Amino acid sequence: MKIVLQRVSQASVTIDNKVVADIQKGLLVLVGIEDLDNQEDINWLASKTVNIRIFGDENDVMNLSVKDTDGDVIVVSQFTLHAATKKGNRPSYIKASKPEIAIPLYENFVLQLEKELGKKVQTGVFGADMKVLLLNDGPVTIVIDSKNRE
């Protein structure tokens, strides 16, 4: 499972000209799921997402988490995080899970985030054509792969 965390001042997701998610200060989390992902990946990434210290404290040092700042979270599914680009110019998405595998894992990730964060997490709609608008704060963008725990 791969995620991209983006610290945002605001973010929203629009589908068919309707805003389905909208936050101010917090995290926009893009999630890519592959067939090898499991509950251990979900638990580890949810904990990492909620507790990673990328928000400024009173001295403007990145010492606080989204949980510490009572920030909000939007989660958006993004199969393109598993793009293989080694050969040619057309990415292959063969590693990305099909919806029947990915949707339950995605939903479970959102539930685990809510449990860890202690409040509702907003989402896009899995597989939909979404317009994601964000104001990246910093900018701060971090890529985390549960299969490469550094």
PDB file of all heavy atoms in Angstrom, residues 70-104:
ATOM      1  N   ASP A  70      -5.685  18.819  15.742  1.00  0.00           N
ATOM      2  CA  ASP A  70      -7.110  18.642  15.487  1.00  0.00           C
ATOM      3  C   ASP A  70      -7.444  18.937  14.020  1.00  0.00           C
ATOM      4  O   ASP A  70      -8.509  19.457  13.699  1.00  0.00           O
ATOM      5  CB  ASP A  70      -7.962  19.513  16.425  1.00  0.00           C
ATOM      6  CG  ASP A  70      -9.417  19.067  16.443  1.00  0.00           C
ATOM      7  OD1 ASP A  70      -9.680  17.843  16.322  1.00  0.00           O
ATOM      8  OD2 ASP A  70     -10.308  19.938  16.535  1.00  0.00           O
ATOM      9  N   GLY A  71      -6.485  18.587  13.134  1.00  0.00           N
ATOM     10  CA  GLY A  71      -6.695  18.782  11.709  1.00  0.00           C
ATOM     11  C   GLY A  71      -7.638  17.742  11.133  1.00  0.00           C
ATOM     12  O   GLY A  71      -7.966  16.743  11.782  1.00  0.00           O
ATOM     13  N   ASP A  72      -8.066  17.995   9.923  1.00  0.00           N
ATOM     14  CA  ASP A  72      -8.971  17.084   9.233  1.00  0.00           C
ATOM     15  C   ASP A  72      -8.218  16.309   8.156  1.00  0.00           C
ATOM     16  O   ASP A  72      -7.096  16.651   7.789  1.00  0.00           O
ATOM     17  CB  ASP A  72     -10.126  17.866   8.611  1.00  0.00           C
ATOM     18  CG  ASP A  72     -11.048  18.443   9.674  1.00  0.00           C
ATOM     19  OD1 ASP A  72     -11.424  17.700  10.596  1.00  0.00           O
ATOM     20  OD2 ASP A  72     -11.379  19.646   9.581  1.00  0.00           O
ATOM     21  N   VAL A  73      -8.868  15.265   7.642  1.00  0.00           N
ATOM     22  CA  VAL A  73      -8.239  14.390   6.650  1.00  0.00           C
ATOM     23  C   VAL A  73      -9.238  14.082   5.534  1.00  0.00           C
ATOM     24  O   VAL A  73     -10.406  13.814   5.803  1.00  0.00           O
ATOM     25  CB  VAL A  73      -7.756  13.070   7.298  1.00  0.00           C
ATOM     26  CG1 VAL A  73      -7.196  12.115   6.249  1.00  0.00           C
ATOM     27  CG2 VAL A  73      -6.725  13.337   8.395  1.00  0.00           C
ATOM     28  N   ILE A  74      -8.735  14.143   4.307  1.00  0.00           N
ATOM     29  CA  ILE A  74      -9.474  13.629   3.144  1.00  0.00           C
ATOM     30  C   ILE A  74      -8.640  12.488   2.580  1.00  0.00           C
ATOM     31  O   ILE A  74      -7.437  12.630   2.377  1.00  0.00           O
ATOM     32  CB  ILE A  74      -9.668  14.679   2.037  1.00  0.00           C
ATOM     33  CG1 ILE A  74     -10.561  15.816   2.497  1.00  0.00           C
ATOM     34  CG2 ILE A  74     -10.270  14.024   0.784  1.00  0.00           C
ATOM     35  CD1 ILE A  74     -10.761  16.916   1.441  1.00  0.00           C
ATOM     36  N   VAL A  75      -9.294  11.356   2.294  1.00  0.00           N
ATOM     37  CA  VAL A  75      -8.640  10.207   1.670  1.00  0.00           C
ATOM     38  C   VAL A  75      -9.203  10.028   0.263  1.00  0.00           C
ATOM     39  O   VAL A  75     -10.422  10.002   0.078  1.00  0.00           O
ATOM     40  CB  VAL A  75      -8.859   8.913   2.492  1.00  0.00           C
ATOM     41  CG1 VAL A  75      -8.229   7.719   1.793  1.00  0.00           C
ATOM     42  CG2 VAL A  75      -8.299   9.067   3.898  1.00  0.00           C
ATOM     43  N   VAL A  76      -8.284   9.900  -0.709  1.00  0.00           N
ATOM     44  CA  VAL A  76      -8.672   9.730  -2.107  1.00  0.00           C
ATOM     45  C   VAL A  76      -7.949   8.510  -2.666  1.00  0.00           C
ATOM     46  O   VAL A  76      -6.728   8.407  -2.558  1.00  0.00           O
ATOM     47  CB  VAL A  76      -8.305  10.989  -2.932  1.00  0.00           C
ATOM     48  CG1 VAL A  76      -8.574  10.769  -4.412  1.00  0.00           C
ATOM     49  CG2 VAL A  76      -9.049  12.213  -2.413  1.00  0.00           C
ATOM     50  N   SER A  77      -8.705   7.588  -3.253  1.00  0.00           N
ATOM     51  CA  SER A  77      -8.094   6.419  -3.891  1.00  0.00           C
ATOM     52  C   SER A  77      -7.379   6.860  -5.160  1.00  0.00           C
ATOM     53  O   SER A  77      -7.877   7.707  -5.907  1.00  0.00           O
ATOM     54  CB  SER A  77      -9.155   5.372  -4.224  1.00  0.00           C
ATOM     55  OG  SER A  77     -10.097   5.896  -5.136  1.00  0.00           O
ATOM     56  N   GLN A  78      -6.193   6.289  -5.387  1.00  0.00           N
ATOM     57  CA  GLN A  78      -5.439   6.659  -6.587  1.00  0.00           C
ATOM     58  C   GLN A  78      -4.583   5.485  -7.047  1.00  0.00           C
ATOM     59  O   GLN A  78      -3.445   5.310  -6.621  1.00  0.00           O
ATOM     60  CB  GLN A  78      -4.570   7.895  -6.323  1.00  0.00           C
ATOM     61  CG  GLN A  78      -3.969   8.405  -7.599  1.00  0.00           C
ATOM     62  CD  GLN A  78      -3.379   9.788  -7.445  1.00  0.00           C
ATOM     63  OE1 GLN A  78      -3.440  10.416  -6.408  1.00  0.00           O
ATOM     64  NE2 GLN A  78      -2.783  10.268  -8.519  1.00  0.00           N
ATOM     65  N   PHE A  79      -5.134   4.688  -7.944  1.00  0.00           N
ATOM     66  CA  PHE A  79      -4.435   3.500  -8.442  1.00  0.00           C
ATOM     67  C   PHE A  79      -3.142   3.858  -9.163  1.00  0.00           C
ATOM     68  O   PHE A  79      -2.230   3.044  -9.263  1.00  0.00           O
ATOM     69  CB  PHE A  79      -5.351   2.659  -9.341  1.00  0.00           C
ATOM     70  CG  PHE A  79      -5.611   3.241 -10.687  1.00  0.00           C
ATOM     71  CD1 PHE A  79      -4.810   2.901 -11.771  1.00  0.00           C
ATOM     72  CD2 PHE A  79      -6.657   4.129 -10.894  1.00  0.00           C
ATOM     73  CE1 PHE A  79      -5.047   3.426 -13.029  1.00  0.00           C
ATOM     74  CE2 PHE A  79      -6.896   4.660 -12.142  1.00  0.00           C
ATOM     75  CZ  PHE A  79      -6.092   4.310 -13.210  1.00  0.00           C
ATOM     76  N   THR A  80      -3.033   5.078  -9.671  1.00  0.00           N
ATOM     77  CA  THR A  80      -1.845   5.465 -10.432  1.00  0.00           C
ATOM     78  C   THR A  80      -0.580   5.529  -9.572  1.00  0.00           C
ATOM     79  O   THR A  80       0.525   5.618 -10.113  1.00  0.00           O
ATOM     80  CB  THR A  80      -2.047   6.819 -11.148  1.00  0.00           C
ATOM     81  OG1 THR A  80      -2.333   7.823 -10.180  1.00  0.00           O
ATOM     82  CG2 THR A  80      -3.178   6.731 -12.158  1.00  0.00           C
ATOM     83  N   LEU A  81      -0.724   5.448  -8.256  1.00  0.00           N
ATOM     84  CA  LEU A  81       0.462   5.390  -7.394  1.00  0.00           C
ATOM     85  C   LEU A  81       1.262   4.115  -7.634  1.00  0.00           C
ATOM     86  O   LEU A  81       2.432   4.045  -7.287  1.00  0.00           O
ATOM     87  CB  LEU A  81       0.071   5.482  -5.914  1.00  0.00           C
ATOM     88  CG  LEU A  81      -0.472   6.822  -5.452  1.00  0.00           C
ATOM     89  CD1 LEU A  81      -0.854   6.757  -3.981  1.00  0.00           C
ATOM     90  CD2 LEU A  81       0.537   7.930  -5.690  1.00  0.00           C
ATOM     91  N   HIS A  82       0.636   3.116  -8.236  1.00  0.00           N
ATOM     92  CA  HIS A  82       1.324   1.854  -8.544  1.00  0.00           C
ATOM     93  C   HIS A  82       1.743   1.768 -10.014  1.00  0.00           C
ATOM     94  O   HIS A  82       1.942   0.676 -10.550  1.00  0.00           O
ATOM     95  CB  HIS A  82       0.455   0.663  -8.149  1.00  0.00           C
ATOM     96  CG  HIS A  82       0.407   0.458  -6.676  1.00  0.00           C
ATOM     97  ND1 HIS A  82       1.481   0.010  -5.950  1.00  0.00           N
ATOM     98  CD2 HIS A  82      -0.582   0.674  -5.776  1.00  0.00           C
ATOM     99  CE1 HIS A  82       1.159  -0.053  -4.674  1.00  0.00           C
ATOM    100  NE2 HIS A  82      -0.081   0.357  -4.543  1.00  0.00           N
ATOM    101  N   ALA A  83       1.887   2.908 -10.648  1.00  0.00           N
ATOM    102  CA  ALA A  83       2.311   2.926 -12.053  1.00  0.00           C
ATOM    103  C   ALA A  83       3.726   2.377 -12.196  1.00  0.00           C
ATOM    104  O   ALA A  83       4.631   2.765 -11.462  1.00  0.00           O
ATOM    105  CB  ALA A  83       2.261   4.349 -12.597  1.00  0.00           C
ATOM    106  N   ALA A  84       3.892   1.466 -13.135  1.00  0.00           N
ATOM    107  CA  ALA A  84       5.223   0.962 -13.490  1.00  0.00           C
ATOM    108  C   ALA A  84       5.652   1.732 -14.737  1.00  0.00           C
ATOM    109  O   ALA A  84       4.961   1.720 -15.751  1.00  0.00           O
ATOM    110  CB  ALA A  84       5.179  -0.531 -13.759  1.00  0.00           C
ATOM    111  N   THR A  85       6.801   2.407 -14.634  1.00  0.00           N
ATOM    112  CA  THR A  85       7.229   3.287 -15.729  1.00  0.00           C
ATOM    113  C   THR A  85       8.567   2.890 -16.329  1.00  0.00           C
ATOM    114  O   THR A  85       9.158   3.647 -17.093  1.00  0.00           O
ATOM    115  CB  THR A  85       7.328   4.733 -15.221  1.00  0.00           C
ATOM    116  OG1 THR A  85       8.262   4.776 -14.135  1.00  0.00           O
ATOM    117  CG2 THR A  85       5.983   5.249 -14.767  1.00  0.00           C
ATOM    118  N   LYS A  86       9.036   1.690 -16.012  1.00  0.00           N
ATOM    119  CA  LYS A  86      10.359   1.253 -16.459  1.00  0.00           C
ATOM    120  C   LYS A  86      10.466   1.140 -17.974  1.00  0.00           C
ATOM    121  O   LYS A  86      11.458   1.544 -18.566  1.00  0.00           O
ATOM    122  CB  LYS A  86      10.705  -0.089 -15.795  1.00  0.00           C
ATOM    123  CG  LYS A  86      12.122  -0.532 -16.049  1.00  0.00           C
ATOM    124  CD  LYS A  86      12.437  -1.782 -15.257  1.00  0.00           C
ATOM    125  CE  LYS A  86      13.872  -2.212 -15.477  1.00  0.00           C
ATOM    126  NZ  LYS A  86      14.219  -3.375 -14.690  1.00  0.00           N
ATOM    127  N   LYS A  87       9.428   0.582 -18.601  1.00  0.00           N
ATOM    128  CA  LYS A  87       9.473   0.358 -20.052  1.00  0.00           C
ATOM    129  C   LYS A  87       8.539   1.317 -20.769  1.00  0.00           C
ATOM    130  O   LYS A  87       7.401   1.507 -20.361  1.00  0.00           O
ATOM    131  CB  LYS A  87       9.037  -1.076 -20.369  1.00  0.00           C
ATOM    132  CG  LYS A  87       9.984  -2.137 -19.878  1.00  0.00           C
ATOM    133  CD  LYS A  87       9.475  -3.506 -20.285  1.00  0.00           C
ATOM    134  CE  LYS A  87      10.419  -4.597 -19.834  1.00  0.00           C
ATOM    135  NZ  LYS A  87       9.920  -5.924 -20.208  1.00  0.00           N
ATOM    136  N   GLY A  88       9.025   1.884 -21.842  1.00  0.00           N
ATOM    137  CA  GLY A  88       8.191   2.721 -22.696  1.00  0.00           C
ATOM    138  C   GLY A  88       7.683   3.977 -22.017  1.00  0.00           C
ATOM    139  O   GLY A  88       8.157   4.371 -20.961  1.00  0.00           O
ATOM    140  N   ASN A  89       6.690   4.573 -22.648  1.00  0.00           N
ATOM    141  CA  ASN A  89       6.134   5.823 -22.148  1.00  0.00           C
ATOM    142  C   ASN A  89       4.703   5.703 -21.646  1.00  0.00           C
ATOM    143  O   ASN A  89       4.138   6.681 -21.185  1.00  0.00           O
ATOM    144  CB  ASN A  89       6.198   6.890 -23.246  1.00  0.00           C
ATOM    145  CG  ASN A  89       7.624   7.272 -23.550  1.00  0.00           C
ATOM    146  OD1 ASN A  89       8.441   7.427 -22.647  1.00  0.00           O
ATOM    147  ND2 ASN A  89       7.944   7.406 -24.824  1.00  0.00           N
ATOM    148  N   ARG A  90       4.126   4.511 -21.777  1.00  0.00           N
ATOM    149  CA  ARG A  90       2.782   4.307 -21.262  1.00  0.00           C
ATOM    150  C   ARG A  90       2.897   3.529 -19.952  1.00  0.00           C
ATOM    151  O   ARG A  90       3.332   2.375 -19.941  1.00  0.00           O
ATOM    152  CB  ARG A  90       1.918   3.530 -22.239  1.00  0.00           C
ATOM    153  CG  ARG A  90       0.562   3.179 -21.638  1.00  0.00           C
ATOM    154  CD  ARG A  90      -0.299   2.394 -22.558  1.00  0.00           C
ATOM    155  NE  ARG A  90      -1.113   3.370 -23.283  1.00  0.00           N
ATOM    156  CZ  ARG A  90      -1.868   3.065 -24.303  1.00  0.00           C
ATOM    157  NH1 ARG A  90      -1.907   1.850 -24.765  1.00  0.00           N
ATOM    158  NH2 ARG A  90      -2.586   3.988 -24.878  1.00  0.00           N
ATOM    159  N   PRO A  91       2.498   4.136 -18.840  1.00  0.00           N
ATOM    160  CA  PRO A  91       2.595   3.429 -17.556  1.00  0.00           C
ATOM    161  C   PRO A  91       1.722   2.176 -17.543  1.00  0.00           C
ATOM    162  O   PRO A  91       0.646   2.140 -18.142  1.00  0.00           O
ATOM    163  CB  PRO A  91       2.074   4.441 -16.541  1.00  0.00           C
ATOM    164  CG  PRO A  91       2.172   5.758 -17.222  1.00  0.00           C
ATOM    165  CD  PRO A  91       1.985   5.487 -18.681  1.00  0.00           C
ATOM    166  N   SER A  92       2.188   1.177 -16.826  1.00  0.00           N
ATOM    167  CA  SER A  92       1.413  -0.036 -16.595  1.00  0.00           C
ATOM    168  C   SER A  92       0.887   0.011 -15.166  1.00  0.00           C
ATOM    169  O   SER A  92       1.608   0.400 -14.248  1.00  0.00           O
ATOM    170  CB  SER A  92       2.304  -1.271 -16.771  1.00  0.00           C
ATOM    171  OG  SER A  92       1.635  -2.419 -16.288  1.00  0.00           O
ATOM    172  N   TYR A  93      -0.350  -0.396 -14.988  1.00  0.00           N
ATOM    173  CA  TYR A  93      -0.962  -0.387 -13.662  1.00  0.00           C
ATOM    174  C   TYR A  93      -1.267  -1.802 -13.191  1.00  0.00           C
ATOM    175  O   TYR A  93      -2.163  -2.020 -12.387  1.00  0.00           O
ATOM    176  CB  TYR A  93      -2.238   0.467 -13.684  1.00  0.00           C
ATOM    177  CG  TYR A  93      -1.951   1.863 -14.150  1.00  0.00           C
ATOM    178  CD1 TYR A  93      -2.327   2.282 -15.424  1.00  0.00           C
ATOM    179  CD2 TYR A  93      -1.271   2.756 -13.337  1.00  0.00           C
ATOM    180  CE1 TYR A  93      -2.049   3.567 -15.864  1.00  0.00           C
ATOM    181  CE2 TYR A  93      -0.983   4.040 -13.778  1.00  0.00           C
ATOM    182  CZ  TYR A  93      -1.371   4.435 -15.030  1.00  0.00           C
ATOM    183  OH  TYR A  93      -1.087   5.704 -15.470  1.00  0.00           O
ATOM    184  N   ILE A  94      -0.485  -2.755 -13.669  1.00  0.00           N
ATOM    185  CA  ILE A  94      -0.732  -4.160 -13.377  1.00  0.00           C
ATOM    186  C   ILE A  94      -0.649  -4.473 -11.878  1.00  0.00           C
ATOM    187  O   ILE A  94      -1.308  -5.380 -11.392  1.00  0.00           O
ATOM    188  CB  ILE A  94       0.193  -5.075 -14.208  1.00  0.00           C
ATOM    189  CG1 ILE A  94      -0.338  -6.494 -14.215  1.00  0.00           C
ATOM    190  CG2 ILE A  94       1.623  -4.995 -13.709  1.00  0.00           C
ATOM    191  CD1 ILE A  94       0.158  -7.308 -15.379  1.00  0.00           C
ATOM    192  N   LYS A  95       0.150  -3.709 -11.125  1.00  0.00           N
ATOM    193  CA  LYS A  95       0.277  -3.948  -9.682  1.00  0.00           C
ATOM    194  C   LYS A  95      -0.898  -3.403  -8.883  1.00  0.00           C
ATOM    195  O   LYS A  95      -1.125  -3.812  -7.748  1.00  0.00           O
ATOM    196  CB  LYS A  95       1.580  -3.342  -9.146  1.00  0.00           C
ATOM    197  CG  LYS A  95       2.816  -4.148  -9.504  1.00  0.00           C
ATOM    198  CD  LYS A  95       4.055  -3.581  -8.867  1.00  0.00           C
ATOM    199  CE  LYS A  95       4.003  -3.780  -7.363  1.00  0.00           C
ATOM    200  NZ  LYS A  95       5.218  -3.317  -6.684  1.00  0.00           N
ATOM    201  N   ALA A  96      -1.646  -2.488  -9.452  1.00  0.00           N
ATOM    202  CA  ALA A  96      -2.787  -1.900  -8.750  1.00  0.00           C
ATOM    203  C   ALA A  96      -3.911  -2.930  -8.656  1.00  0.00           C
ATOM    204  O   ALA A  96      -4.227  -3.617  -9.626  1.00  0.00           O
ATOM    205  CB  ALA A  96      -3.277  -0.660  -9.475  1.00  0.00           C
ATOM    206  N   SER A  97      -4.502  -3.030  -7.484  1.00  0.00           N
ATOM    207  CA  SER A  97      -5.586  -3.993  -7.259  1.00  0.00           C
ATOM    208  C   SER A  97      -6.842  -3.632  -8.034  1.00  0.00           C
ATOM    209  O   SER A  97      -7.149  -2.453  -8.232  1.00  0.00           O
ATOM    210  CB  SER A  97      -5.946  -4.058  -5.777  1.00  0.00           C
ATOM    211  OG  SER A  97      -4.941  -4.683  -5.055  1.00  0.00           O
ATOM    212  N   LYS A  98      -7.575  -4.650  -8.425  1.00  0.00           N
ATOM    213  CA  LYS A  98      -8.882  -4.471  -9.030  1.00  0.00           C
ATOM    214  C   LYS A  98      -9.865  -4.044  -7.926  1.00  0.00           C
ATOM    215  O   LYS A  98      -9.639  -4.303  -6.748  1.00  0.00           O
ATOM    216  CB  LYS A  98      -9.359  -5.774  -9.682  1.00  0.00           C
ATOM    217  CG  LYS A  98      -8.425  -6.282 -10.771  1.00  0.00           C
ATOM    218  CD  LYS A  98      -8.514  -5.426 -12.012  1.00  0.00           C
ATOM    219  CE  LYS A  98      -7.710  -5.988 -13.147  1.00  0.00           C
ATOM    220  NZ  LYS A  98      -6.544  -5.208 -13.474  1.00  0.00           N
ATOM    221  N   PRO A  99     -10.966  -3.402  -8.296  1.00  0.00           N
ATOM    222  CA  PRO A  99     -11.912  -2.894  -7.299  1.00  0.00           C
ATOM    223  C   PRO A  99     -12.394  -3.925  -6.271  1.00  0.00           C
ATOM    224  O   PRO A  99     -12.549  -3.599  -5.093  1.00  0.00           O
ATOM    225  CB  PRO A  99     -13.081  -2.383  -8.145  1.00  0.00           C
ATOM    226  CG  PRO A  99     -12.442  -1.989  -9.429  1.00  0.00           C
ATOM    227  CD  PRO A  99     -11.346  -3.008  -9.655  1.00  0.00           C
ATOM    228  N   GLU A 100     -12.608  -5.164  -6.687  1.00  0.00           N
ATOM    229  CA  GLU A 100     -13.128  -6.160  -5.729  1.00  0.00           C
ATOM    230  C   GLU A 100     -12.153  -6.431  -4.580  1.00  0.00           C
ATOM    231  O   GLU A 100     -12.570  -6.826  -3.492  1.00  0.00           O
ATOM    232  CB  GLU A 100     -13.527  -7.470  -6.429  1.00  0.00           C
ATOM    233  CG  GLU A 100     -12.433  -8.135  -7.233  1.00  0.00           C
ATOM    234  CD  GLU A 100     -12.339  -7.660  -8.673  1.00  0.00           C
ATOM    235  OE1 GLU A 100     -12.968  -6.667  -9.067  1.00  0.00           O
ATOM    236  OE2 GLU A 100     -11.581  -8.317  -9.421  1.00  0.00           O
ATOM    237  N   ILE A 101     -10.880  -6.200  -4.799  1.00  0.00           N
ATOM    238  CA  ILE A 101      -9.873  -6.343  -3.735  1.00  0.00           C
ATOM    239  C   ILE A 101      -9.612  -4.989  -3.078  1.00  0.00           C
ATOM    240  O   ILE A 101      -9.536  -4.873  -1.853  1.00  0.00           O
ATOM    241  CB  ILE A 101      -8.560  -6.921  -4.301  1.00  0.00           C
ATOM    242  CG1 ILE A 101      -8.788  -8.358  -4.751  1.00  0.00           C
ATOM    243  CG2 ILE A 101      -7.432  -6.845  -3.279  1.00  0.00           C
ATOM    244  CD1 ILE A 101      -7.639  -8.984  -5.500  1.00  0.00           C
ATOM    245  N   ALA A 102      -9.499  -3.953  -3.886  1.00  0.00           N
ATOM    246  CA  ALA A 102      -9.098  -2.640  -3.381  1.00  0.00           C
ATOM    247  C   ALA A 102     -10.171  -1.948  -2.536  1.00  0.00           C
ATOM    248  O   ALA A 102      -9.845  -1.321  -1.527  1.00  0.00           O
ATOM    249  CB  ALA A 102      -8.694  -1.742  -4.544  1.00  0.00           C
ATOM    250  N   ILE A 103     -11.419  -2.027  -2.922  1.00  0.00           N
ATOM    251  CA  ILE A 103     -12.467  -1.289  -2.208  1.00  0.00           C
ATOM    252  C   ILE A 103     -12.554  -1.687  -0.731  1.00  0.00           C
ATOM    253  O   ILE A 103     -12.562  -0.811   0.134  1.00  0.00           O
ATOM    254  CB  ILE A 103     -13.837  -1.400  -2.922  1.00  0.00           C
ATOM    255  CG1 ILE A 103     -13.783  -0.622  -4.240  1.00  0.00           C
ATOM    256  CG2 ILE A 103     -14.966  -0.880  -2.040  1.00  0.00           C
ATOM    257  CD1 ILE A 103     -14.996  -0.800  -5.134  1.00  0.00           C
ATOM    258  N   PRO A 104     -12.618  -2.984  -0.395  1.00  0.00           N
ATOM    259  CA  PRO A 104     -12.670  -3.320   1.037  1.00  0.00           C
ATOM    260  C   PRO A 104     -11.433  -2.846   1.809  1.00  0.00           C
ATOM    261  O   PRO A 104     -11.554  -2.392   2.954  1.00  0.00           O
ATOM    262  CB  PRO A 104     -12.765  -4.853   1.057  1.00  0.00           C
ATOM    263  CG  PRO A 104     -13.268  -5.227  -0.284  1.00  0.00           C
ATOM    264  CD  PRO A 104     -12.763  -4.187  -1.229  1.00  0.00           C
TER     265      PRO A 104
END
